[in-house]
Amino acid sequence: MQQIPTGSLVLRETRPSGTVVVLPGRVEVGGRDFVVMAGPCAVESAAQIEDAAEAVAAAGCPILRGGAFKPRTSPYSFQGLGEQGVRLLLAAARRRGLLVITEVLDPSELPALEGVALLQIGARNMQNFALLKALARLDRPLLLKRGPAATVEEWLLAAEYLLAGGNGQVVLCERGIRTFESSTRNTLDLSAVVLAKQRTHLPVIVDPSHAAGRRDLVIGLSLAAAAAGADGLLVEVHPRPGEALCDGSQALMPADLRELMRRLSPVVHAVGRELWRAPQQLMVAK
Ligand code: PEP
Ligand code: MN
């Protein structure tokens, strides 16, 4: 088994108090607040991403997700809208005061990704070392997903590439691993979340959508992730999942997202955190 060398930057002992990744608008990942990032798997059209952004804002989540450069298993599947998708995503988010997370597949896409608050390194790129080295040189927050067949040590060593290359603004994301279980798309490895929180000072969030592959498990897994000490969620939501070009069966509907936020609140409080909610939502709730 690959061991993380003593003294590595990723290890908790190098920063026992923990790292807080600060995004624009003082949205902090890894601090007191539990942060929910939500949106469709892929940006598909202006109408779809506008409706998704509306649902995300209405639920009080601060960050809109949506893939524009998509890593698809089959070359015949929808590949994303690319630069046009990024423009639609940023416009929908800006109108509602949301931040944006989206995936970067290749450094050549970076000029198109200006304005994106959090750059996602996808599970299949966790050990794309050329990409890691290029993103390490940026002064921009990154989200590093765990590879579907990567050990926790390998995941943390991939993060070490980013830290050693000069970028300390890294959030980790557990998104399920490949196991013998076939009733779910992947198996959500919550022990990896607890272990990663012990081993590293970096924030750790959970993607229950790619872990489950099915909508009916997403809320339960999200509550479990919060109880296990995750710092937030990355969750797929689509205004009309039946029409989705990608991952529709695992997408929450807007009402499910509101239910998720409602049910998360007491769990997050039970572990001494606060659920990050947009200020206008707090006012509406009062
Ligand atoms: C995604 O978040 O849309 C995605 C492709 O996830 P993963 O890299 O975890 O498969
Ligand atoms: Mn997806």
Side-chain angles (χ1 to χ4, degrees), residues 44-213:
E44 299 168 2
S45 66
Q48 173 249 16
I49 196 64
E50 289 291 335
D51 291 349
E54 194 59 40
V56 169
C61 308
I63 307 178
L64 178 66
R65 68 151 284 153
F69 299 103
K70 292 297 301 173
R72 302 306 305 279
T73 300
S74 165
Y76 305 115
S77 301
F78 174 60
Q79 298 289 307
L81 296 182
E83 292 189 21
Q84 191 210 348
V86 180
R87 282 194 293 273
L88 294 174
L89 179 65
L90 285 169
R94 212 167 276 143
R95 266 191 268 285
R96 296 164 180 89
L98 300 170
L99 301 179
V100 158
I101 176 170
T102 197
E103 180 161 355
V104 54
L105 292 178
D106 187 276
S108 64
E109 296 156 4
L110 287 169
L113 294 167
E114 286 289 326
V116 169
L118 196 49
L119 293 167
Q120 175 173 328
I121 304 166
R124 280 157 282 196
N125 270 326
M126 189 202 85
Q127 287 187 320
N128 178 340
F129 299 114
L131 180 65
L132 297 180
K133 285 178 184 173
L135 297 178
R137 289 193 285 272
L138 305 179
D139 179 20
R140 295 182 64 177
L142 306 172
L143 179 121
L144 178 66
K145 285 194 154 193
R146 180 185 181 191
T151 65
V152 172
E153 301 287 291
E154 287 164 343
W155 185 25
L156 298 186
L157 283 166
E160 183 75 12
Y161 268 87
L162 302 171
L163 271 52
N167 191 339
Q169 303 170 78
V170 178
V171 178
L172 299 173
C173 180
E174 155 64 28
R175 46 76 78 205
I177 53 172
R178 191 163 274 198
T179 70
F180 57 83
E181 179 57 68
S182 55
S183 0
T184 50
R185 184 175 179 182
N186 290 284
T187 295
L188 181 61
D189 186 4
L190 283 181
S191 46
V193 174
V194 180
L195 180 58
K197 290 291 294 178
Q198 278 180 21
R199 291 281 283 150
T200 179
H201 50 85
L202 297 174
V204 181
I205 71 165
V206 164
D207 171 350
S209 306
H210 291 89

